[in-house]
Amino acid sequence: MSAEAIANKLWGLCNILRDDGVTYHQYLNELTFILFLKLSEVKEFEKDIPKEYRWRKLVDTKDNKEMFDVYRDLLANISTKSKNPAITEIYTNASTTLRKPVNLRTLITAIDGIDWFEDTERDQIATIYENLLERNASEKKSGAGQYFTPRPLINVMVDLLAPKIGERWNDPAAGTFGFMIAANEYLREKTDNYFDLSAKDRKFQVEKAFSGCELVQDAHRLAIMNAKLHGLESDIRMEDTLSEAGKDMKNYDGVLANPPFGTKQGGERPSRDDFTYPTANKQLNFLQHIYRSLHKRGGARAAVVLPDNVLFEDGDGQRIRKDLMDKCNLHTILRLPTGIFYAQGVKTNVLFFERGTTETGNTKQIWYYDMRTNMESLGKRNPLARNHFADFVLAYTGGISIDKVKEKFDGTINSKKREKIEDPRWHSFTREALAAKNDSLDVGLIADDSYSSSGSEVDPLKIARAAQEETASIIKELELIIKELS
């Protein structure tokens, strides 16, 4: 059975459980608890799980109520009875949202009946779990999309930063750890699944190369599971990066991140005291954290997804942008198309920069690529795909095609090659020109009306269909709420 077919089967089980009042997001958490037990049997690390909680104990318990009691006892106590850190983190404060023992039996039986084989290159379970994470993110009503960045965007960001063996990478807003998983996969491809490395280097890649921090416990649990399934024993903290806990997250070779949108609750400023320009704007605080977390030895780099307001906000926003351009070479800004994130109306960008060895004057010229103007409508019916970035990758690398970028691009920015690229979406601005605009970075969008107003962005039929689909989803959700209240 293919990974996609298994994912379809597992996702379909949620429809059965909806009668038990279980949402998609709750189901994914429930599935994580159960899949980890099955995984321990498949991958033979059951010794870390107390005998009374092992997979066969659940499967072989014939009475549904007795099985349910064992499962609830497991969720309540396994984190304190096991010495395995991953088990402790996954099952901390765990509880079931299931109310009917028969539904637990349905899940256990279905998962036990799947042929969990491994192919020659990577574990099926990792692919399946990632598929489930993506499906959960697409369920806008669950709010899970805030934890998930589209995989095509993640992969392009990783390809262009070109991680190297022996480097330390971090995501300070880790979500489900997608950026670090992609960086790990990028390097596994280049090193025959790390078999080309010495035992010491392989241990470093598995345990030390990738790290993260996530504030929300559900997302943190999914991140730990995702890392485990991809063969990583990464340090993923459950803390607030913008608190004192984030002060020792530093000296990284690379950072990849999509920080949460919005302002800090109540408009309060971050609790840590090492920000030069503390502000209630979370993205500006994350941006400060990120460029300060890169080492100053040369070559430390980052790619960060940020909303438009970061590019033009006055006051602290202007001061932070100036500080960024002083301390780093902010060389590229990608203006992303709308409709690719959970928050559909938010306009976003990717900032690519490299930490300088000095504290001032590092940014000389910024290149912009406009993927927003005159872009086809993207969303659930027309999802973002890797090929959407083909022209941007060609411009960014100075002539390397998207199908060759992993093989041929080492992350070096060559301005002379970039200048040879002829693309109406590709423009550069000098540091002096941006200083004259009060350090606003909100430029680079195509202004030519003949180019930007073809009408492809405003398709009445697409708008009507999208509205119909959203209305149907809302009605379905209301029916479930009414049923629950009744």
Side-chain angles (χ1 to χ4, degrees):
M1 185 180 281
S2 70
E4 186 174 359
I6 295 173
N8 286 337
K9 182 173 182 177
L10 290 175
W11 194 247
L13 291 173
C14 187
N15 293 325
I16 298 172
L17 302 182
R18 293 303 289 267
D19 286 338
D20 213 356
V22 179
T23 68
Y24 286 112
H25 187 57
Q26 290 170 331
Y27 171 60
L28 186 55
N29 269 285
E30 202 84 52
L31 203 57
T32 298
F33 300 145
I34 297 171
L35 275 178
F36 191 88
L37 296 176
K38 179 61 180 178
L39 173 67
S40 70
E41 180 186 72
V42 173
K43 298 181 77 66
E44 300 178 350
F45 60 86
E46 270 196 320
K47 66 182 187 303
D48 295 325
I49 294 178
K51 289 183 179 180
E52 65 268 29
Y53 299 142
R54 291 178 183 174
W55 181 251
R56 284 297 129 198
K57 171 68 174 177
L58 282 172
V59 173
D60 294 340
T61 301
K62 302 304 180 186
D63 181 76
N64 287 351
K65 185 179 182 305
E66 185 181 348
M67 173 197 273
F68 198 53
D69 289 341
V70 171
Y71 179 62
R72 286 193 295 185
D73 183 52
L74 178 158
L75 295 181
N77 298 302
I78 192 173
S79 64
T80 57
K81 290 187 176 182
S82 174
K83 296 180 180 179
N84 183 296
I87 292 174
T88 300
E89 292 187 78
I90 287 173
Y91 291 98
T92 294
N93 296 326
S95 62
T96 182
T97 51
L98 300 175
R99 292 176 298 177
K100 299 175 184 176
V102 67
N103 285 335
L104 175 64
R105 171 73 68 186
T106 299
L107 280 177
I108 297 290
T109 302
I111 290 170
D112 194 54
I114 292 171
D115 181 15
W116 296 101
F117 66 89
E118 293 185 8
D119 63 25
T120 56
E121 301 218 351
R122 65 182 278 185
D123 197 330
Q124 278 266 101
I125 306 177
T127 307
I128 293 161
Y129 194 71
E130 216 163 324
N131 187 306
L132 294 172
L133 289 174
E134 188 165 4
R135 288 167 187 249
N136 187 49
S138 71
E139 290 297 324
K140 291 183 279 188
K141 297 172 293 301
S142 74
Q146 64 185 295
Y147 309 135
F148 197 91
T149 306
R151 191 59 189 255
L153 174 58
I154 289 177
N155 287 340
V156 166
M157 290 167 67
V158 169
D159 291 350
L160 296 179
L161 289 197
K164 296 176 176 59
I165 295 296
E167 292 184 331
R168 294 173 63 243
W169 286 75
N170 180 263
D171 183 348
T176 56
F177 214 51
F179 278 111
M180 298 298 100
I181 296 295
N184 170 60
E185 294 296 294
Y186 174 93
L187 288 172
R188 283 184 183 273
E189 281 186 35
K190 288 181 172 288
T191 59
D192 190 20
N193 206 26
Y194 293 155
F195 290 126
D196 293 347
L197 307 181
S198 67
K200 180 181 177 181
D201 288 344
R202 192 179 307 123
K203 181 179 174 64
F204 176 86
Q205 291 304 127
V206 169
E207 297 178 3
K208 304 292 185 183
F210 309 105
S211 61
C213 187
E214 173 54 46
L215 177 62
V216 180
Q217 186 169 53
D218 279 354
H220 179 257
R221 180 179 289 123
L222 301 181
I224 294 290
M225 181 70 166
N226 203 12
K228 184 78 174 174
L229 291 174
H230 284 85
L232 293 173
E233 302 292 339
S234 300
D235 175 21
I236 309 174
R237 305 181 184 185
M238 195 183 77
E239 293 176 310
D240 182 0
T241 297
L242 302 181
S243 71
E244 290 292 300
K247 290 171 68 173
D248 66 345
M249 295 167 58
K250 56 188 177 181
N251 294 321
Y252 297 115
D253 295 283
V255 173
L256 289 151
N258 180 5
F261 300 158
T263 58
K264 195 166 178 63
Q265 189 172 7
E268 63 186 270
R269 294 174 182 267
S271 58
R272 58 192 282 184
D273 60 7
D274 61 331
F275 286 158
T276 307
Y277 308 107
T279 169
N281 184 310
K282 283 196 292 188
Q283 300 90 52
L284 287 171
N285 288 324
F286 267 105
L287 179 58
Q288 286 186 90
H289 165 82
I290 289 166
Y291 65 76
R292 289 166 179 268
S293 73
L294 298 170
H295 67 67
K296 305 174 189 177
R297 301 187 298 272
R301 56 217 184 272
V304 189
V305 179
L306 293 165
D308 273 14
N309 71 281
V310 169
L311 303 185
F312 59 74
E313 190 168 301
D314 291 332
D316 285 332
Q318 180 182 352
R319 288 185 278 273
I320 290 167
R321 290 192 299 275
K322 183 178 184 304
D323 194 40
L324 167 67
M325 290 186 281
D326 274 340
K327 289 180 169 61
C328 302
N329 175 19
L330 174 60
H331 53 78
T332 311
I333 296 179
L334 170 62
R335 310 301 301 260
L336 287 169
T338 57
I340 64 174
F341 289 107
Y342 164 67
Q344 292 288 312
V346 176
K347 295 178 179 179
T348 54
N349 315 269
V350 184
L351 275 60
F352 296 85
F353 51 89
E354 182 175 320
R355 186 69 156 92
T357 56
T358 62
E359 294 294 296
T360 58
N362 281 288
T363 298
K364 309 293 185 186
Q365 179 184 34
I366 302 179
W367 286 88
Y368 284 79
Y369 195 90
D370 178 9
M371 267 185 73
R372 185 180 303 170
T373 305
N374 200 31
M375 185 66 177
E376 60 184 294
S377 180
L378 297 172
K380 202 167 185 178
R381 291 178 177 274
N382 182 28
L384 186 70
R386 184 175 176 82
N387 281 340
H388 284 122
F389 295 96
D391 291 337
F392 166 64
V393 169
L394 195 72
Y396 185 103
T397 60
I400 300 175
S401 64
I402 195 166
D403 59 322
K404 297 290 184 181
V405 65
K406 287 185 181 180
E407 175 188 344
K408 294 186 175 182
F409 188 60
D410 65 358
T412 302
I413 304 303
N414 189 315
S415 293
K416 290 184 178 179
K417 288 184 177 180
R418 286 181 160 201
E419 288 168 0
K420 295 179 180 179
I421 300 297
E422 295 184 4
D423 187 328
R425 298 182 182 274
W426 186 233
H427 298 96
S428 70
F429 295 82
T430 65
R431 178 68 185 91
E432 291 76 16
L434 295 169
K437 296 177 180 290
N438 296 320
D439 294 318
S440 172
L441 302 177
D442 191 22
V443 294
L445 294 174
I446 299 165
D448 184 354
D449 290 340
S450 66
Y451 190 83
S452 62
S453 60
S454 69
S456 64
E457 289 187 25
V458 186
D459 183 336
L461 182 58
K462 286 184 178 179
I463 292 173
R465 283 176 174 166
Q468 182 184 44
E469 182 182 351
E470 189 68 19
T471 302
S473 297
I474 292 169
I475 291 172
K476 186 176 180 181
E477 199 70 16
L478 285 171
E479 288 172 350
L480 288 168
I481 292 171
I482 291 168
K483 185 175 182 179
E484 180 70 17
L485 291 173
S486 300

